[in-house]
Amino acid sequence: MSSSARLTRRRLPRAALLLSAAMLATLASAGCGASVGGAPPCLPPEHTVSPSSVKPGDSVTVSAAEAKCDPRYGDDARISIVLIDAAGVEVLNTTAPMADAGGFTFTAEVPLNSAPGVMAVNAMPQGVDWCDDTGKNNRVSQGEFPLERASCVLPTKPLNITK
């Protein structure tokens, strides 16, 4: 496992998980709109998880191809990767290098203490707010007022954990 990976065992509040699920369902049905002027948004490339089913201790790879547009993440871009097991416990929270156009490959061992069932694998460019659906690269730290990242839909993929 990458030395930069930080393993945590933090229980997320049940209400927060239910609220997140409700928001995702609502927003997924609404979809993302096109930007002003009719140009398609330049959103982060969709990530994949391989293999789709593993046992605790096995390796899993999270990756994305380069975006077909120009998101301009920069030379020091990072992808935030969070694994939340079926019990709602965050078992991995780390960042990895990401290319200027959003491509990345990250491999880690699934923590041995991961609950069996469907794990959520979240991957989101670090320090970027995409909630406006325009595809404009909004850096969280820019401007006079600090912003909190809010996302219209958290990019999540399933990973089946078996025992």
Side-chain angles (χ1 to χ4, degrees):
M1 181 171 22
S2 168
S3 63
S4 67
R6 293 180 331 200
L7 297 180
T8 60
R9 182 101 174 135
R10 217 174 359 169
R11 185 161 300 278
L12 300 176
R14 186 174 202 82
L17 289 173
L18 293 174
L19 178 61
S20 295
M23 287 174 54
L24 283 174
T26 301
L27 293 168
S29 66
C32 289
S35 64
V36 177
C42 184
L43 296 173
E46 188 172 342
H47 68 281
T48 61
V49 177
S50 181
S52 61
S53 183
V54 295
K55 294 179 181 176
D58 289 350
S59 290
V60 63
T61 299
V62 182
S63 61
E66 301 280 314
K68 295 187 186 333
C69 51
D70 185 12
R72 296 175 297 177
Y73 291 111
D75 293 335
D76 298 324
R78 308 283 297 170
I79 186 81
S80 172
I81 299 169
V82 179
L83 304 181
I84 302 172
D85 72 10
V89 176
E90 186 178 277
V91 295
L92 177 76
N93 186 338
T94 191
T95 63
M98 179 176 66
D100 182 52
F104 71 91
T105 299
F106 174 78
T107 301
E109 287 181 14
V110 173
L112 294 172
N113 58 351
S114 299
V118 178
M119 175 178 280
V121 179
N122 303 328
M124 183 73 177
Q126 184 181 37
V128 179
D129 179 0
W130 294 97
C131 197
D132 64 4
D133 289 346
T134 64
K136 181 180 175 189
N137 190 334
N138 298 314
R139 297 285 175 195
V140 173
S141 61
Q142 286 185 349
E144 183 178 336
F145 303 102
L147 301 174
E148 284 188 36
R149 183 180 63 80
S151 178
C152 52
V153 178
L154 180 63
T156 301
K157 298 292 181 188
L159 174 62
N160 189 43
I161 305 298
T162 62
K163 287 285 180 179

